[in-house]
Amino acid sequence: MKEKLKKIPPKYIVAGVILIVMLLLLIKHRSIFYNSRQDNYNDMSGEEENIAAENAVISQYFTVSGNMQNIALLMTNDSGEDVTIQAMLRDAETDEVLSAVKCNVPKSTGTEEVVSMELTLDGVEGTRSVYLTLEEETRASEVYYCALAGDYEQTLLVNEEATAARLRMSVVYGGGLNKTFFILFALGMAVVIGIFVMPVKWAKPENMVLILVSVMGISMAVINPAFQECDGPSHFYRSMDVSYGNILGSFANLTHEDGVIYVPENVQEIAYRKLTPNGSEGTGYLEYLQTHKFSKNKIKMTYYDSVTSVVYWPQGLGIFLGRTFNLSIYSVILMGRIFNLLAYMGLAYAAVRFMPFYKNLMAMFAVMPLSIYQASSLSQDAVLNGAGFLFVALCCYYAFDEKVKLNWKKTLVLGLLLLTMFLSKYVYACLGLLVFMIPKDKFNSRKDYWKSFIIALLPFVILGGYVMFRVSSGISGLQAGAGGGADTMTQMQYLKAYPIATVKVIISTLIVNLNDYLQQLNMLGSMNYPLTLLAVIGPCFLLGVGLLDGQEVRGRIKIRHRIIMLLAFIITFAAIMMGLYIGDGIANPVGSSVINGIQGRYFILMLILPFLALGSDRVKQDIRYFTVKCSGIMGIMLLYAVFMLVNTCY
């Protein structure tokens, strides 16, 4: 028996152990994949109010209409310590205790937190009147129950005194197995196990990108409720306008005048909901989107935006097809997401395919949970990140692959990719510095060199200049102080008067917010679905891959190349920060000491540059099946992200 076991390849043993662990965890947390419905008492129909928990006994009366699974309650805890709440569910007629639980309320530093109370109630036929009592077990000040004050029945008692308010909570009922979500998760498990046992000849980084982006991306596209990504409604509006034929907005609107977009006639009737994390609101919202359709008639809606339509072509095509086949709102948005995912997958695959070294690191950045989450939404960041990855990869490929000879057609590709990034977010044009890594001897002659780069830059200069001319006045008007009268200093004028302020504000922002940026690389939704386990594991894993993946460099990256890469990273990083500092006057008043509004996702497409600039091929590793192991570990992280997406939204 031992001899037979010794003959089993280690990869099958590793895959078997991982499968067993995942199955045990799936069995333990199987309730995550069961549908739930809810009675939502957080509809924001009244005025928000906070009720102090200190020395208070709260009684909230309500009616249940089925077997209750839990109650999700909103609270804030600014006490500086975790607090325990005693919660009991009682029968409204007999005062019988039906269920009881002690709940931990974590420190929230001013933000609302969802406190999930596992108060179960079975055997309910029809309806049953109950009430929830809440009392602090850990006495602490600055702890509050979130409530709505309004014209409600007096169902909320505070120390036995009736109030015209009600707690902001959701009563969650159990349901059957969500087969779609379960099958998608099981497919993801099968893919991860398949990666670990994959034949070596198939285990190429670019193939891993195809596998993980397609399977995990489709799972996220299906599971993630509509409009939950950052700026979700805005991405939807822009994509919808493209679906009606406006493929060159906003610098050359083809179907309508400036300042408007085309949308379905009933677009204002659609409920755009930002789901409360862990509030079990996803099932009801999904059912709503699946049972409603867009109107076949279109109208013009006032909408001013400087972002061009180019980065919404894939989403617009998907939405166009969905509307053509008269699909539900959910299915139309899903079509847009899938086409966006396909565009990203093609760009990311090409980037890893052409990257001459650090292929595994490039692949890991392309398939990290946040990258795939953005790619599986309607966000412009799918095309932006994909184009950015490919631009960096082609610059390295053209500069360091000895077999490559260049002409104007190949440099034109670089120009178009840079233009795409510029049209998405102007500051990424700074990455164009990377083209200076490409030596002149890659071309047949000096004349051919200049000809190629002039042709490559023509679209960028003409279209980029035209776009900047059109939007410059709008950008100026967004500055803090821009509308405050003749005597009011704008942000740009402030920086001109105090040039050293630029350096100071960047440094102070990094000191204050750098940790937040790293944390945000593992947050989904609108930066409100944290992947807690990956907050430390994710960055450490990517750092490890970066340190071990430089063996193929073989001395090709010289000091000059490293300086260019580092400059491109630093200048683009600074441009992102100062672009928001100048252009977002709401978040950044004149002279602010810290730049607000920056998110970690803005840096994804350029994170590989510090590794290229500072990495060393002297770090040797002889890890067998390195690509397989990296991809398998990232696959497990993606499975966790899918699991947390279901858990957070449903």
Side-chain angles (χ1 to χ4, degrees), residues 448-504:
D448 196 30
Y449 171 82
W450 289 110
K451 170 189 171 184
S452 298
F453 275 101
I454 289 172
I455 292 174
L457 287 174
L458 272 178
F460 179 80
V461 172
I462 295 172
L463 290 176
Y466 176 65
V467 169
M468 288 305 297
F469 172 76
R470 282 179 58 91
V471 305
S472 58
S473 59
I475 294 173
S476 299
L478 293 173
Q479 294 183 63
D487 297 329
T488 304
M489 179 181 284
T490 66
Q491 195 77 274
M492 184 67 78
Q493 291 169 339
Y494 169 78
L495 293 174
K496 288 179 179 178
Y498 307 100
I500 194 65
T502 300
V503 178
K504 287 183 176 179

Side-chain angles (χ1 to χ4, degrees), residues 190-419:
V191 165
V192 171
I193 298 302
I195 287 174
F196 280 105
V197 299
M198 180 179 291
V200 177
K201 63 180 180 180
W202 296 350
K204 297 179 180 179
E206 57 266 34
N207 293 341
M208 298 303 177
V209 170
L210 288 181
I211 294 169
L212 291 174
V213 171
S214 58
V215 175
M216 301 302 182
I218 289 175
S219 297
M220 289 187 181
V222 172
I223 293 169
N224 185 34
F227 315 118
Q228 302 309 304
E229 61 270 17
C230 292
D231 305 317
S234 296
H235 295 310
F236 163 72
Y237 288 138
R238 298 166 188 161
S239 302
M240 184 62 74
D241 190 42
V242 172
S243 78
Y244 283 111
N246 192 32
I247 60 174
L248 294 179
S250 59
F251 59 85
N253 289 308
L254 300 179
T255 57
H256 52 67
E257 64 273 22
D258 293 347
V260 298
I261 58 173
Y262 273 132
V263 292
E265 190 175 37
N266 64 341
V267 74
Q268 299 294 345
E269 301 170 12
I270 299 168
Y272 301 100
R273 288 185 58 185
K274 188 68 68 178
L275 303 185
T276 304
N278 301 309
S280 300
E281 300 170 7
T283 301
Y285 192 44
L286 207 62
E287 291 175 353
Y288 164 82
L289 295 173
Q290 290 172 336
T291 53
H292 288 73
K293 295 184 177 182
F294 290 116
S295 169
K296 294 183 179 180
N297 300 321
K298 65 181 179 183
I299 59 171
K300 292 178 181 178
M301 184 179 81
T302 302
Y303 192 84
Y304 292 94
D305 202 346
S306 60
V307 177
T308 54
S309 298
V310 173
V311 288
Y312 291 99
W313 285 356
Q315 307 93 303
L317 177 59
I319 289 175
F320 168 76
L321 293 174
R323 288 192 300 102
T324 300
F325 292 109
N326 196 29
L327 302 179
S328 67
I329 293 175
Y330 169 81
S331 298
V332 168
I333 292 173
L334 180 60
M335 288 285 286
R337 288 177 167 183
I338 289 175
F339 275 75
N340 204 23
L341 183 70
L342 291 173
Y344 175 79
M345 184 167 62
L347 291 167
Y349 172 84
V352 179
R353 175 73 177 80
F354 283 109
M355 193 71 182
F357 34 64
Y358 285 96
K359 284 179 175 285
N360 290 296
L361 183 60
M362 176 68 86
M364 294 305 101
F365 280 127
V367 301
M368 61 188 287
L370 182 56
S371 297
I372 294 184
Y373 180 81
Q374 290 178 302
S376 60
S377 69
L378 297 180
S379 173
Q380 67 187 39
D381 289 347
V383 174
L384 171 62
N385 288 343
F389 288 144
L390 184 54
F391 180 80
V392 172
L394 285 178
C395 285
C396 292
Y397 177 63
Y398 292 165
F400 301 112
D401 193 304
E402 295 102 3
K403 299 178 182 178
V404 174
K405 282 294 182 180
L406 300 181
N407 54 40
W408 69 269
K409 295 179 182 178
K410 291 179 179 178
T411 56
L412 181 60
V413 174
L414 287 179
L416 293 176
L417 288 171
L418 189 63
L419 178 62

